[in-house]
Amino acid sequence: MSEPVRPRDKGDVPDDLLSRLRHSASHVMADAVCRLRPSAKVTIGPAIENGFYYDFDTEPFAPEDIERIEAEMAKIVAQDLPFVRKVISRQEALAMFEGKGETYKVEIIRGIPEGEEISLFQHGDFVDLCAGPHVARTGEIKAFKVLSFAGAYWRGDEHNQQLQRVYGTAFTSKEELAAHLARLEEAKRRDHRLLGKQLDLFSVDELVGPGFVLWHPKGAILRLVLEDMIRKEVVKRGYQAVYTPHVAREQLLEKSGHLAHYKDNLFGGMELEGQRYLVKPMNCPFHVAIYRSQLRSYRELPIRYSELGTVYRYERSGVLHGLLRVRGFTQDDAHLFITEDQIEAELDACVRFGMDVLRLFGFEDVKFFMSTRPKDFMGEIEAWTKAEAAIRRVLEATGHPFEVDEGGGAFYGPKIDLKIRDALGREWQCTTFQLDYQMPERFGLEYVASDGSRKRPIMIHRALLGSIERFIAVLIEHFAGAFPMWLAPVQARVISVSEKAEAYAREAAGVLLAAGLRADADLSADKLNAKIRRAQLEKIPYMLVVGERDMAARVVSPRTREGKQLPAMPLDDMAKTLVAEAAVPSLGDAGAKVV
């Protein structure tokens, strides 16, 4: 499961200039920390998307340290010190940093291959092992901000020393920095972990275990709506539903290649009757087992198996993050078994299907990526070459521009990834299609061709939403919890003005429920404004206020979550209006033709 890909804030500034600026700011920040904490040991500090960070071996930082570090950085910037590059020998570098007690720098130097150039960058008294590049002087760093602190392990290994990471950002102007900080504040407001609690969608309980999500009733409704939509649409496209177990013998994952190529992510294991079983990390080997349960004919192909399958993967505790990075999640998974001459038509149909689904949620800005053979690949290069050529032809035929992610493919095949851009301009990769010659070969899959010979099918691995958990996190943040009517866990709430209107409020809620709407009633003794405010915080699309006059006229007074008051409407008419608005959108016939 991939991390979210976030865009770089470019403005009109070329990436190389912005990267140099941020890299230089990281050095200034490291200098500031060392001035404030002379005993701190310096590790690494790269420019990253949207900013930079630096890791230190020191005691934890406190919130008030942000202002202290910024103030010290401002002094260094005001000095307008030049960044000076020096090339030195390995012996000189080792002697220098050993003398300073900078053990992490010494370890880095010893890992640099013999004969490779070793360079330093210095401003004032601060010297760092660095390849650069940098801006000319510290005075060029006009707009910067220290953002936050976090823990990190040296070289990302949880068995190593825990370090203190300081995050910051820098821009070429104060206006760009202010705009970025405003986006960060908006991102905090939309954080799916906070909204998940506010809207009572999900939780993670330490007794259950980190990375395992508990879906509350309202969150479960979100899942059901998404999953039902997918189930309905795959049937239109000739997919067949399957169900597979959550565990399997180790031999299955050994044969599929996951044991060798995915070992660090395999989760748990148990001994049963002398056999070792592992928890399912992927659905594909199980679908392969269904295919190989009988001999297939070319007349049956393509065979498309679809499953909302829950899988389990070991993620380190330090990277777990709400619904975005979990240890147990459900994929809207499918595996297609096809002949070689069906590759392009089926991949094209998959891409169209993916685009239709993404547009359903309003994601129109979609980037296409082609991910090629990784270093840790399985199988013969000739098969990879064929698969990559086919993927390139499909992408070129779509007319969409695409980027090539060299080495980004799965260990069993190259892939097409679709990345969406949310309301804050952040990019997320959810949809993926992978072309696999390797697994059918490893399992010895066959079909009977038209001439009676046995041939090997080819597989397409297809996920539209990807992880359901992750996609819901993206939706929560994209919509800021204010889901469109068809997705909203509660679509309407009837609010009684007084005790005398309670019976009518119950009746009105019953009418809405009978019409198929997700509705409830607030009959509490709270004042009307408090009830309306509560419904707005829960981001319920419609509030139907009823008092004694409404009861007498058998009407409701509708109000939207945005605060717009609508004219009173007969109860039955209101129910019909809401039913029409709440209908789950159809993807239509686009891409739905069964090949």
Side-chain angles (χ1 to χ4, degrees), residues 252-274:
L252 177 72
L253 298 177
E254 182 177 23
K255 201 165 188 66
S256 69
H258 289 94
L259 197 60
H261 296 265
Y262 213 71
K263 189 174 183 179
D264 290 343
N265 292 94
L266 296 181
F267 201 101
M270 66 195 83
E271 294 288 336
L272 293 174
E273 299 176 340

Side-chain angles (χ1 to χ4, degrees), residues 177-239:
L177 175 61
H180 176 71
L181 296 177
R183 285 194 293 273
L184 290 181
E185 285 302 311
E186 179 63 14
K188 288 181 184 178
R189 187 180 74 84
R190 291 171 179 256
D191 190 316
H192 75 280
R193 294 167 298 178
L194 299 177
L195 287 172
K197 185 174 182 180
Q198 177 184 323
L199 303 178
D200 194 23
L201 300 177
F202 67 91
S203 63
V204 176
D205 191 299
E206 287 301 314
L207 285 175
V208 176
F212 296 102
V213 180
L214 299 171
W215 290 97
H216 298 197
K218 291 177 182 177
I221 287 173
L222 264 179
R223 279 195 60 157
L224 285 170
V225 173
L226 288 176
E227 291 174 2
D228 286 348
M229 180 272 292
I230 291 295
R231 286 189 181 100
K232 175 183 173 184
E233 294 297 336
V234 296
V235 169
K236 289 182 184 178
R237 290 160 173 77
Y239 288 78

Side-chain angles (χ1 to χ4, degrees), residues 42-53:
V42 179
T43 66
I44 58 170
I48 57 174
E49 289 183 323
N50 293 329
F52 55 86
Y53 70 80

Side-chain angles (χ1 to χ4, degrees), residues 387-448:
E388 289 177 3
I391 280 182
R392 183 177 290 276
R393 287 194 297 272
V394 169
L395 285 172
E396 289 173 347
T398 66
H400 290 276
F402 63 92
E403 296 179 29
V404 177
D405 178 11
E406 295 289 354
F411 69 83
Y412 46 78
K415 58 179 179 169
I416 297 170
D417 290 326
L418 306 186
K419 294 180 182 177
I420 55 178
R421 193 180 294 276
D422 70 8
L424 294 183
R426 300 172 300 181
E427 287 182 357
W428 306 88
Q429 190 268 306
C430 301
T431 310
T432 185
F433 315 108
Q434 302 159 358
L435 186 57
D436 180 5
Y437 279 75
Q438 312 307 329
M439 218 168 286
E441 184 69 32
R442 289 178 72 91
F443 280 95
L445 301 187
E446 292 182 331
Y447 68 90
V448 179

Side-chain angles (χ1 to χ4, degrees), residues 332-571:
D332 65 320
D333 227 346
H335 294 93
L336 292 71
F337 299 86
I338 61 177
T339 64
E340 194 149 26
D341 60 2
Q342 292 170 339
I343 289 176
E344 292 179 38
E346 288 298 314
L347 270 177
D348 179 70
C350 284
V351 171
R352 291 176 185 274
F353 192 3
M355 288 296 294
D356 287 345
V357 169
L358 295 177
R359 290 187 184 113
L360 185 67
F361 300 95
F363 296 121
E364 296 285 348
D365 187 355
V366 180
K367 284 187 178 179
F368 284 63
F369 288 80
M370 172 183 172
S371 299
T372 61
R373 186 179 73 249
K375 291 181 181 178
D376 183 28
F377 71 94
M378 183 171 71
E380 301 298 325
I381 289 181
E382 292 77 8
W384 278 86
T385 301
K386 277 201 296 186
E388 289 177 3
I391 280 182
R392 183 177 290 276
R393 287 194 297 272
V394 169
L395 285 172
E396 289 173 347
T398 66
H400 290 276
F402 63 92
E403 296 179 29
V404 177
D405 178 11
E406 295 289 354
F411 69 83
Y412 46 78
K415 58 179 179 169
I416 297 170
D417 290 326
L418 306 186
K419 294 180 182 177
I420 55 178
R421 193 180 294 276
D422 70 8
L424 294 183
R426 300 172 300 181
E427 287 182 357
W428 306 88
Q429 190 268 306
C430 301
T431 310
T432 185
F433 315 108
Q434 302 159 358
L435 186 57
D436 180 5
Y437 279 75
Q438 312 307 329
M439 218 168 286
E441 184 69 32
R442 289 178 72 91
F443 280 95
L445 301 187
E446 292 182 331
Y447 68 90
V448 179
S450 58
D451 62 2
S453 64
R454 302 289 181 90
K455 290 192 175 180
R456 193 80 72 214
I458 298 153
M459 283 179 67
I460 295 175
H461 304 242
R462 188 234 69 197
L464 303 174
L465 306 182
S467 157
I468 297 293
E469 283 76 4
R470 188 160 176 265
F471 194 77
I472 287 177
V474 173
L475 290 181
I476 291 171
E477 298 195 4
H478 178 63
F479 292 115
F483 301 107
M485 182 72 163
W486 67 277
L487 264 181
V490 179
Q491 295 167 322
R493 172 168 292 168
V494 182
I495 298 176
S496 59
V497 174
S498 65
E499 188 176 348
K500 293 180 179 179
E502 283 183 13
Y504 180 53
R506 286 195 188 92
E507 180 187 351
V511 168
L512 299 180
L513 287 167
L517 292 161
R518 298 187 289 275
D520 62 18
D522 187 342
L523 307 177
S524 67
D526 295 335
K527 292 183 178 180
L528 178 60
N529 285 343
K531 293 182 180 183
I532 289 173
R533 177 61 178 160
R534 183 159 53 239
Q536 286 178 321
L537 287 174
E538 293 179 34
K539 303 185 185 290
I540 297 171
Y542 286 95
M543 291 147 272
L544 308 182
V545 178
V546 295
E548 291 181 69
R549 291 183 181 178
D550 300 300
M551 180 172 61
R554 293 197 59 77
V555 299
V556 293
S557 297
R559 180 187 182 97
T560 69
R561 61 186 163 202
E562 294 79 21
K564 184 179 181 181
Q565 187 69 51
L566 303 176
M569 184 180 294
L571 175 57

